[in-house]
Amino acid sequence: MPNRLAHETSPYLLQHADNPVDWWPWSAEAFEEARKANKPLLLSVGYSSCHWCHVMAHESFEDQATADFLNEHFVSVKVDREERPDVDAVYMEAVQAATGQGGWPMTVFLTPDTEPFYFGTYFPPAPRQGMPSFRQVLEGVSSAWTDRRDEVAEVAGKIVRDLAGREISYGDSQAPGEEQLGAALLGLTREYDAQRGGFGGAPKFPPSMVVEFLLRHHARTGAEGALQMAQDTCERMARGGIHDQLGGGFARYSVDRDWVVPHFEKMLYDNALLCRVYAHLWRTTGSDLARRVALDTADFMVRELRTVEGGFASALDADSDDGTGEHVEGAYYVWTPAQLREVLGEQDADLAARYFGVTEEGTFEHGQSVLQLPQQETVFDAEKVESVRRRLLDARAERPAPGRDDKVVAAWNGLAIAALAETGAYFDRPDLVEAAVSAGDLLVRLHMDEQARLSRTSKDGQVGANAGVLEDYADVAEGFLALASVTGEGVWLDFAGFLLDHVLSRFTGEDGALFDTAADAERLIRRPQDPTDNAVPSGWTAAAGALLSYAAQTGAEPHRAAAEKALGVVKALGPRVPRFIGWGLAVAEAFLDGPREVAVVGSSPADPAARALHRTALLGNAPGAVVAFGTPGSDELPLLADRVLVDGEPTAYVCRHFTCDAPTTDADALRVALGG
């Protein structure tokens, strides 16, 4: 019989709706039940595409004996970290402080007042490699709750006090300057893997936000070393197994330093960020590889993650049926030489094996290989390779597909909107721009209420109950600002302004510091606040970027001042931990450059000459430049005010802080003015 999770919209929670565990969603009712029953809370946090979450669910939460013990001794609460990033962040901070590490599934035991007192991540069903079994943990916690309640209360109180006393080094109220950005570049150079691209060792994550900083730093200063690190990293990722060589898009991370074997889950946010980065790399270098990867990543998002309602789903699972009924990580993506021969025949299979690096020994498990591009494509016949690729992709489509988390997350859709809008504009793909607009329409129609307050998620056209957090407001505003620049429609600028007004009024402290949750949000044991970038830009740095772009589009001084204050934390952290504040550094580059404001006017938005000048403006390399496009006298976009045609021709104006250079009707002159 289904438990309470059957009424939720989260795919992750619904996966546990038939567990024998008497799960509760995160709610005041669950906490009240724990108080009445005098039981501790088990908090289990994960997400739909998490491999080890599925493992623990199968081993423990589907086990009747384990469920019976849980139901007797605990009130069990299941949380989707993607729906409630605030709950996840608060308790992950406690887990990391107590154990020195974190991850998912996250397992935390709480008092009925939600104060944590014991922590862990994955626990096996039997003792293994020094880890206790989950049953042993449950029995130990239950015994402590029954026999040593005072000790439990003391531990919980101390943890909460320690969390409350933690302070973030905000720096000051000024953005970083040349010295700090130079120090950040030097720090990245020290951590750079010159042999393999990327930063640090295994596991290796795509450093999309750091690459964005490197590209902007090169554009502003001409630093060739920054561009080289960006190019080499992007090429190694594009040629590695982390990049889906058949269907496009990227997996979450590589388990090795060489980008060969991925953790196969494919997340919307990674692909949105990487699509934009490769598009910007092409804008800088003209690289054919960057162009191809940007477009195949955009096409992957539209083809495999787009929902019926026009938004974008959160993720594809790492696991899928291997054909025997067993769910195995990577089964959908890997190949053996025999499988190549079955699809392609002997001769073409030999070409495919050489082209994609498939060997008898394999690069993954059981003689299977993850497809890569180990050799330069120019040594192969392009037409033959494309035929092989299509046939393998068609054959792969017959395999059982990984599960899809259909939850639409506002923040990640904002990232996808920005990526698709720009990629569509750069490569004359109006279908991609249309997909971005459709996703924007969905967010406005479904996720925004009459006061422009955001809901975090929706699924199947039904909005979720959880309030948007800072990253939702910031990333959706970023997407809307990109739509305003690409489409010339001022309504997107208006919507971005509504969201950023909430950032100023509900997420900003008296000193200009930003919080991840609104002042009127549900009170947790700590108000979460983290300026460091992780898998996505932090809400803090994303807000700084959106506030800065909005100020450049409108001249709104409060928004620019708020952006500068927010960048104070980048001044403090950039030289010390540049890998973990890459988006903040990219925004700081835009702040130092202006950012530049570009207004393009033509007699009609449909005029080919005006559209060509508009595209030239969008292709400018000036860090964080904003673009407005329309007709003279248009009041839709403030940058167009008082802009006139010169000699009746489409005209571009390039400005900083609303002080402008001489207008130009020449696309080449505009390209030079914007660092092209």
Side-chain angles (χ1 to χ4, degrees), residues 34 38 40 101 142 206 231 301 379 446 482 609 644 665:
N38 193 25
Q101 58 187 10
S142 179
Q231 282 183 290
M301 288 191 287
V379 303
L446 191 61
V644 297
T665 60

Side-chain angles (χ1 to χ4, degrees), residues 20 36 83 169 346 433 559 620 658:
K36 287 194 303 185
E83 279 200 334
S169 174
E346 196 74 37
V433 178
H559 295 74
F658 288 77

Side-chain angles (χ1 to χ4, degrees), residues 23 28 80 99 352 404 416 514 638:
W23 289 113
D80 182 343
T99 68
R404 188 173 87 162
L514 295 166

Side-chain angles (χ1 to χ4, degrees), residues 163-178:
L163 290 175
R166 291 183 166 219
E167 293 184 358
I168 294 173
S169 174
Y170 300 121
D172 54 33
S173 59
Q174 292 184 329
E178 294 286 359

Side-chain angles (χ1 to χ4, degrees), residues 386-472:
E386 186 53 34
S387 170
V388 164
R389 190 193 306 273
R390 283 198 307 270
R391 289 151 65 195
L392 290 177
L393 184 62
D394 289 343
R396 192 178 78 174
E398 299 299 316
R399 297 176 176 180
R404 188 173 87 162
D405 183 336
D406 282 334
K407 177 173 73 272
V408 172
V409 176
W412 306 348
N413 273 255
L415 297 174
I417 288 167
L420 292 171
E422 291 183 357
T423 303
Y426 296 170
F427 301 118
D428 195 21
R429 285 282 303 273
D431 59 311
L432 298 180
V433 178
E434 289 169 10
V437 169
S438 293
D441 286 340
L442 176 71
L443 293 179
V444 172
R445 184 176 72 253
L446 191 61
H447 285 245
M448 287 176 67
D449 67 12
E450 294 82 357
Q451 287 79 42
R453 293 184 178 227
L454 278 174
S455 293
R456 169 79 174 168
T457 62
S458 67
K459 183 178 180 294
D460 299 330
Q462 179 181 347
V463 70
N466 299 304
V469 296
L470 179 61
E471 70 166 356
D472 294 305

Side-chain angles (χ1 to χ4, degrees), residues 490 631-638 640-641:
T631 55
S634 170
D635 58 0
E636 278 200 57
L637 296 165
L640 300 180

Side-chain angles (χ1 to χ4, degrees), residues 310-598:
F312 291 91
S314 296
L316 299 180
D317 286 354
D319 303 357
S320 58
D321 191 324
D322 66 354
T324 69
E326 290 293 320
H327 269 64
V328 177
E329 186 176 3
Y332 188 70
Y333 299 101
V334 295
W335 295 82
T336 63
Q339 289 171 325
L340 295 181
R341 289 192 291 272
E342 183 180 349
V343 173
L344 301 172
E346 196 74 37
Q347 185 173 355
D348 285 352
D350 178 64
L351 179 148
R354 288 184 290 113
Y355 185 80
F356 290 118
V358 177
T359 66
E360 292 292 342
E361 298 79 14
T363 57
F364 183 48
E365 298 171 347
H366 313 300
Q368 300 167 316
S369 291
V370 184
L371 303 189
Q372 307 171 70
L373 296 181
Q375 302 181 57
Q376 291 293 330
E377 294 92 319
T378 52
V379 303
F380 296 90
D381 180 88
E383 187 173 335
K384 175 65 74 172
V385 165
E386 186 53 34
S387 170
V388 164
R389 190 193 306 273
R390 283 198 307 270
R391 289 151 65 195
L392 290 177
L393 184 62
D394 289 343
R396 192 178 78 174
E398 299 299 316
R399 297 176 176 180
R404 188 173 87 162
D405 183 336
D406 282 334
K407 177 173 73 272
V408 172
V409 176
W412 306 348
N413 273 255
L415 297 174
I417 288 167
L420 292 171
E422 291 183 357
T423 303
Y426 296 170
F427 301 118
D428 195 21
R429 285 282 303 273
D431 59 311
L432 298 180
V433 178
E434 289 169 10
V437 169
S438 293
D441 286 340
L442 176 71
L443 293 179
V444 172
R445 184 176 72 253
L446 191 61
H447 285 245
M448 287 176 67
D449 67 12
E450 294 82 357
Q451 287 79 42
R453 293 184 178 227
L454 278 174
S455 293
R456 169 79 174 168
T457 62
S458 67
K459 183 178 180 294
D460 299 330
Q462 179 181 347
V463 70
N466 299 304
V469 296
L470 179 61
E471 70 166 356
D472 294 305
Y473 285 83
D475 288 335
V476 173
E478 176 82 11
F480 289 172
L481 288 164
L483 283 178
S485 286
V486 167
T487 67
E489 295 176 4
V491 66
W492 297 113
L493 183 62
D494 294 338
F495 285 137
F498 298 152
L499 297 176
L500 293 173
D501 285 344
H502 281 294
V503 170
L504 295 181
S505 64
R506 298 172 56 228
F507 291 88
T508 305
E510 292 182 2
D511 57 357
L514 295 166
F515 290 89
D516 293 332
T517 54
D520 53 356
E522 176 188 352
R523 291 182 65 85
L524 303 174
I525 59 170
R526 169 180 169 85
R527 190 177 180 190
Q529 182 182 44
D530 185 359
T532 57
D533 300 323
N534 199 314
V536 294
S538 68
W540 187 311
T541 60
L547 287 163
L548 183 64
S549 295
Y550 183 78
Q553 281 276 15
T554 64
E557 189 53 38
H559 295 74
R560 182 176 177 86
E564 182 170 13
K565 285 183 179 179
L567 288 172
V569 76
V570 183
K571 185 176 183 180
L573 298 181
R576 290 167 26 209
V577 287
R579 282 174 58 193
F580 302 101
I581 200 150
W583 188 250
L585 291 167
V587 175
E589 287 289 345
F591 187 89
L592 273 188
D593 196 65
R596 280 175 249 193
E597 308 130 7
V598 188

